[in-house]
């Protein structure tokens, strides 16, 4: 979602090979840069972007993979990671209020990070038990081995249940 002028609604490949992104906003809070609707074009450059490739729940945290390798020492630096969590009050209307209500999300302590030998993934071990139906917002300041910064350095994961394996 970083770089788009409003919320992504539709994606379509064009005859020119570009990806067209239909964006929609809302008069109150869905617009990033003051735009309510729009069409944006992404052209392939042939170079891989440095991003989170996937995030999966594990028994005691999360496994995160990247699109490019990262230096193992950098990945295992706890100061490079931040995790917050929250949930929403269930209401009969669409979109209940965020909990905690004081607008300060619950900070979740990352107690250990174990990087793969190739630098393509990490295991985040969390101090607290994850709570079902909570959103986990994970951020990292990692830089790829070839010096790229992440295009989007954050990801949101809605956690329901921990895997048993």
């Amino acid at each position: 979602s970083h770089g788009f002028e409003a919320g992504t609604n539709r994606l379509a490949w064009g005859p020119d090979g570009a990806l067209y992104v239909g964006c929609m906003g809302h008069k109150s809070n869905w617009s990033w840069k003051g735009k309510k609707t729009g069409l944006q074009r992404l052209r392939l450059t042939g170079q891989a972007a440095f991003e989170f490739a996937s995030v999966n729940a594990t028994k005691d945290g999360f496994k995160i993979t990247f699109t490019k390798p990262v230096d193992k020492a950098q990945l295992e630096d706890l100061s490079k990671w931040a995790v917050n969590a929250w949930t929403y009050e269930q209401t009969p209307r669409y979109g209940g209020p965020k909990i905690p209500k004081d607008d300060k999300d619950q900070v979740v302590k990352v107690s250990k990070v174990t990087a793969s030998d190739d630098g393509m993934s990490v295991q985040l071990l969390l101090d607290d038990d994850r709570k079902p139906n909570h959103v986990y917002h994970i951020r990292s300041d990692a830089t790829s081995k070839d010096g790229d910064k992440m295009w989007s350095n954050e990801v949101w994961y809605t956690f329901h249940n921990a895997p048993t394996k």
Side-chain angles (χ1 to χ4, degrees):
S1 65
H2 286 239
F4 293 118
E5 293 179 346
T8 300
N9 182 274
R10 297 278 193 281
L11 301 171
W13 290 103
D16 59 354
L19 179 63
Y20 288 84
V21 181
C23 299
M24 292 185 68
H26 187 271
K27 62 183 176 185
S28 63
N29 63 354
W30 292 2
S31 173
W32 278 260
K33 297 179 181 176
K35 303 240 178 172
K36 294 186 177 119
T37 59
L39 185 64
Q40 292 184 266
R41 179 178 57 196
L42 300 176
R43 291 188 200 141
L44 297 175
T45 65
Q47 296 182 355
F50 177 47
E51 295 282 5
F52 290 111
S54 67
V55 178
N56 293 291
T58 63
K59 286 175 69 172
D60 49 11
F62 294 98
K63 179 179 181 182
I64 298 170
T65 58
F66 301 95
T67 58
K68 291 184 173 187
V70 181
D71 179 68
K72 188 174 177 177
Q74 182 187 164
L75 284 177
E76 292 180 347
D77 180 353
L78 292 176
S79 70
K80 297 282 184 187
W81 296 94
V83 179
N84 294 72
W86 64 85
T87 191
Y88 295 95
E89 181 180 328
Q90 293 185 7
T91 67
R93 296 180 53 204
Y94 177 79
K98 195 174 181 181
I99 300 171
K101 293 180 181 184
D102 63 3
D103 282 340
K104 292 189 179 184
D105 304 332
Q106 175 189 345
V107 174
V108 179
K109 186 174 182 239
V110 178
S111 57
K112 184 177 180 184
V113 181
T114 305
S116 64
D117 288 337
D118 64 2
M120 292 295 290
S121 66
V122 294
Q123 295 273 99
L124 297 184
L125 178 66
L126 304 180
D127 256 8
D128 299 330
D129 288 335
R130 284 155 305 158
K131 296 178 180 97
N133 304 317
H134 275 62
V135 175
Y136 284 80
H137 181 214
I138 303 168
R139 292 175 307 286
S140 175
D141 289 335
T143 304
S144 72
K145 282 186 176 179
D146 58 8
D148 288 345
K149 291 188 178 195
M150 282 194 204
W151 187 38
S152 176
N153 70 337
E154 56 190 339
V155 65
W156 293 262
Y157 187 99
T158 302
F159 177 77
H160 294 290
N161 295 308
T164 57
K165 294 181 185 180

